[in-house]
Amino acid sequence: MQATAQAAAIILAGASLGWIALFSFVLSPVAFKQFDTGRAERLVKHVMNAGHGILGLIAFASAAAALMAGAVAGASVAAVAGAFAFLCKFALAPRDDKPLKGHRVLKTARIVASALTAFIAPVLIAAIVLTLMGI
C-alpha cells in the first residue's frame, strides 16, 4: 500500500510540474509573442482561472498520497505547493477591478503571475525527493 501511495504522490507531483512547465514556459510566452497585449493578457487570465485551481487540487492530492506513504515532510511540501498554486489563482491572477481614481493600471500582473507560477516547480521537486526518501 505504501509503495502504491508513494508512486501516486510522485505521479501527481509530476503532473503538476508538467502543468507549470506548459503554462510558464510555453503558453504565456507564446501568447505574448503571437497576440497583441490585450488578447494575450485575457488568454493568460482565463487559463490561470481555469487551470491553477486544478493545479492546486492535484498538488493537494499528491500531498495526501505522500502522507499515506508515510512521507510527512513530502506531504507538507506538496501541500505548500498546492497553497502556492491557489495563491497564484486568487491573489496573483489579474482581476477585472476598476483602477482607483488617479492611479494607473499596471499591466505586468499577468507576466508576474506566470513567472511566479514557475517558482512552484522547485517546491514540487523537493516534495518528490522527500517522498522518494520517505521523509
Side-chain angles (χ1 to χ4, degrees), residues 6-22 55 58-63 78 81 120-121 123-129 131-132:
Q6 184 183 35
I10 292 167
I11 289 170
L12 290 169
S16 297
L17 282 172
W19 168 255
I20 290 168
L22 179 68
L55 171 63
I58 292 172
F60 282 133
S62 175
I120 300 172
V123 178
L124 283 169
I125 291 170
I128 290 171
V129 169
T131 302
L132 278 172

Side-chain angles (χ1 to χ4, degrees), residues 50-132:
H52 277 54
I54 295 169
L55 171 63
L57 291 176
I58 292 172
F60 282 133
S62 175
L67 193 60
M68 289 191 302
V72 177
S76 300
V77 173
V80 167
F84 285 166
F86 279 112
L87 285 174
C88 282
K89 177 180 171 57
F90 295 113
L92 299 173
R95 303 228 193 287
D96 292 328
D97 298 341
K98 302 287 182 201
L100 298 173
K101 188 174 182 177
H103 293 286
R104 298 185 306 153
V105 176
L106 296 177
K107 295 292 185 177
T108 59
R110 287 161 181 82
I111 297 169
V112 169
S114 299
L116 288 176
T117 300
F119 288 115
I120 300 172
V123 178
L124 283 169
I125 291 170
I128 290 171
V129 169
L130 290 170
T131 302
L132 278 172

Side-chain angles (χ1 to χ4, degrees), residues 8-45:
I10 292 167
I11 289 170
L12 290 169
S16 297
L17 282 172
W19 168 255
I20 290 168
L22 179 68
F23 177 76
S24 295
F25 302 115
V26 177
L27 186 123
S28 292
V30 169
F32 281 100
K33 282 184 182 177
Q34 297 298 321
F35 299 128
D36 61 286
T37 305
R39 286 184 185 181
E41 288 177 357
R42 285 191 302 272
L43 175 68
V44 170
K45 173 187 170 187

